[in-house]
Amino acid sequence: MRNHNGAFRMGMHDMPPSGRVLVVAVVAWSLAWKGASLWRAARNGSKPWFVTLLLTNTLGALDAVYLFGIDRHRREELDELTILEVTGEPEQEGHTQET
């Protein structure tokens, strides 16, 4: 575990098999979240989020926030606007729905 200079060094081959499995699982988990969030941010044209997600490594936490929070909220707004455009109905602008 020490190299010829006496410095401590540990590589994958020095880890027990369970440690290697854990490292591979964490890397796979992070890559899956990172790939999904970067793809969605690029597709949405969200450059600030794309750069933020690309440069940070939070083991999928920030990626999940983007996918399930920011992007979902944005999609709901777009869906509502699309429906209003198709139906030609004006926005309610805070007024209650007529019955």
Side-chain angles (χ1 to χ4, degrees):
M1 299 224 201
R2 293 188 181 269
N3 65 12
H4 63 279
N5 294 332
F8 181 75
R9 185 176 148 236
M10 185 172 178
M12 283 291 278
H13 63 279
D14 296 325
M15 263 189 211
S18 59
R20 284 184 236 158
V21 169
L22 181 63
V23 168
V24 169
V26 167
V27 168
W29 174 265
S30 295
L31 284 175
W33 282 104
K34 183 76 60 191
S37 63
L38 286 174
W39 179 78
R40 187 84 53 86
R43 188 170 169 208
N44 291 339
S46 181
K47 290 179 184 178
W49 270 105
F50 184 88
V51 171
T52 301
L53 294 166
L54 181 65
L55 297 178
T56 59
N57 186 13
T58 58
L59 298 179
L62 186 59
D63 304 286
V65 166
Y66 178 74
L67 289 172
F68 294 113
I70 305 300
D71 185 56
R72 178 171 284 164
H73 180 69
R74 183 179 179 278
R75 281 176 171 241
E76 289 171 359
E77 287 176 359
L78 290 176
D79 289 343
E80 185 176 333
L81 290 174
T82 303
I83 291 169
L84 290 173
E85 287 176 4
V86 170
T87 61
E89 294 182 19
E91 290 189 48
Q92 296 295 319
E93 298 179 12
H95 298 287
T96 59
Q97 183 75 21
E98 294 179 18
T99 55

